[in-house]
Amino acid sequence: EKVPGAGWAQMFLFGGVIESLSRRYVLPPGLTMPQFQLRLTQLVGTAGAALGVVTGCLLGMCNLFFLDLDEAERLKRAAKLDTMFETVMESAVGTMGCPVGTIFLVDFEHRELWGRAAVGYEGVVHRPLEETSSLAAWVAIKGEPAVVEDVSTDPRYCTDIERILGTPVKSCITYPIFEHGGDSVIAVLQFVNKPTPFSEEDDRVMRLMCTHFSIFIANCE
């Protein structure tokens, strides 16, 4: 990584401080003017000044040991994950023929799900990680898909999404996304309001998309 201009300035300024302090507090030997003019004396003086600058530079660079060198890489991966979620979700709603889609990430530590990316509405939806709180939470806990043609008949359905959408929800399909190479549910993929009944082809597409999401997430961790 390149050291920014401000870093170089800090190091050279600090080197100058070291040299100034040495001149002030380290008394020079009592030399006569002819002795000061000797080439050897000038070389030693120059070497001492250079050593002071180098020492200051090295001390000034000590703060680099405390920098988080992985921060840039983490930010890069986070941006990559954002782009992936948004791009795939925009494509997925068209593939499924649904106007609204959401991918929820599972937060077991705080016992909740939250909308990582959504198409068809704005805002972040949160769900308690409890079986009866929502279809998404039930799927995350059970690790099983839930396909509901009429959500009004399903007690797991959470109606607050209708206030966000500003329109009633009729049907809903929700599938778990498992950890790549494991059996833990890390996310949930959900689409609502398909104009036609869900089919076996929808099941195949949902499973395929969940597999892709699992791989993408694993590659960006």
Side-chain angles (χ1 to χ4, degrees):
E1 296 289 333
K2 294 183 178 179
V3 179
W8 286 113
Q10 178 187 11
M11 289 187 287
F12 281 107
L13 284 174
F14 194 56
V17 170
I18 294 295
E19 182 183 359
S20 297
L21 289 175
S22 67
R23 289 180 181 273
R24 181 174 181 180
Y25 294 106
V26 181
L27 298 179
L31 300 178
T32 64
M33 183 56 65
Q35 289 175 326
F36 270 119
Q37 294 176 347
L38 289 174
R39 180 171 178 78
L40 178 60
T41 303
Q42 294 175 359
L43 289 175
V44 172
T46 302
L51 180 61
V53 173
V54 172
T55 302
C57 291
L58 293 176
L59 291 175
M61 293 177 66
C62 287
N63 64 325
L64 298 178
F65 289 107
F66 301 98
L67 294 179
D68 187 352
L69 300 179
D70 295 329
E71 181 180 4
E73 184 63 24
R74 287 200 301 271
L75 292 175
K76 180 179 179 181
R77 290 182 180 180
K80 180 180 178 182
L81 200 58
D82 287 339
T83 302
M84 181 274 293
F85 277 132
E86 293 170 2
T87 302
V88 175
M89 284 303 300
E90 289 175 359
S91 175
V93 291
T95 302
M96 288 298 296
C98 298
V100 180
T102 308
I103 179 169
F104 294 95
L105 295 187
V106 183
D107 186 344
F108 287 102
E109 181 179 355
H110 296 95
R111 301 292 301 170
E112 71 168 1
L113 294 87
W114 58 281
R116 184 62 176 76
V119 175
Y121 67 93
E122 295 182 355
V124 179
V125 177
H126 292 263
R127 295 276 186 268
L129 191 58
E130 301 172 0
E131 288 187 23
T132 58
S133 68
S134 66
L135 284 164
W138 186 90
V139 169
I141 294 172
K142 296 293 188 179
E144 302 174 6
V147 182
V148 183
E149 295 292 351
D150 185 359
V151 295
S152 65
T153 64
D154 196 311
R156 300 169 297 179
Y157 173 64
C158 184
T159 60
D160 67 347
I161 188 64
E162 296 186 2
R163 294 194 297 271
I164 298 175
L165 295 176
T167 184
V169 172
K170 177 64 176 177
S171 60
C172 179
I173 184 169
T174 312
Y175 273 58
I177 298 175
F178 293 95
E179 178 184 14
H180 185 54
D183 55 4
S184 298
V185 178
I186 58 174
V188 171
L189 185 61
Q190 185 177 79
F191 298 95
V192 302
N193 281 353
K194 183 169 184 174
T196 59
F198 295 113
S199 64
E200 292 184 3
E201 178 64 14
D202 292 326
D203 172 78
R204 187 188 70 81
V205 172
M206 285 291 289
R207 293 182 185 278
L208 184 62
M209 286 193 295
C210 287
T211 299
H212 287 324
F213 266 116
S214 176
I215 296 172
F216 290 152
I217 294 173
N219 289 337
C220 293
E221 288 180 345

